[in-house]
Amino acid sequence: MPGVPYRVIAERHVTDRLLQLNAVAPGGGRPLADLSWSEERAVKRLVAAGVIREEAAGVYYLYAPAYVARRNHRRQRIAIALIFVAIAGGLMAAWMG
């Protein structure tokens, strides 16, 4: 089974950092310094998705409703994929046995 994609890990690092800084509301934004290349790209993706909002140049906060919706959507996709794998495994077992 493949590992967790680097994009997901980078997005998690960025959102975790904003949560640790308590940057979760307008007016509470914090700068994100010392980001890796993949984390900088994650910030751009998350801003485009509306999960992170930019208050001023380089000052960001996590928009909680969009963050929860994105996290739940990702979990739902994983659950559906696991169901398909289980069904395929059952069909293979029935076909082979």
Side-chain angles (χ1 to χ4, degrees):
M1 181 174 248
V4 177
Y6 73 93
R7 290 176 58 163
V8 175
I9 294 170
E11 288 180 6
R12 181 66 185 256
H13 286 171
V14 171
T15 56
D16 283 352
R17 187 180 301 183
L18 288 171
L19 288 169
Q20 288 173 353
L21 294 171
N22 200 29
V24 293
R30 299 283 186 265
L32 292 172
D34 302 325
L35 295 176
S36 69
W37 176 80
S38 61
E39 290 169 342
E40 288 176 4
R41 296 209 44 203
V43 168
K44 291 177 184 176
R45 281 192 305 274
L46 292 169
V47 167
V51 174
I52 293 177
R53 302 224 170 143
E54 189 170 17
E55 287 186 328
V59 178
Y60 303 94
Y61 70 93
L62 187 68
Y63 182 60
Y67 172 67
V68 171
R70 185 177 178 99
R71 188 184 65 203
N72 289 343
H73 178 68
R74 180 169 284 140
R75 286 182 180 170
Q76 184 180 30
R77 287 188 352 218
I78 291 170
I80 290 170
L82 289 175
I83 289 169
F84 279 118
V85 167
I87 290 171
L91 290 173
M92 289 294 291
W95 183 66
M96 299 294 258

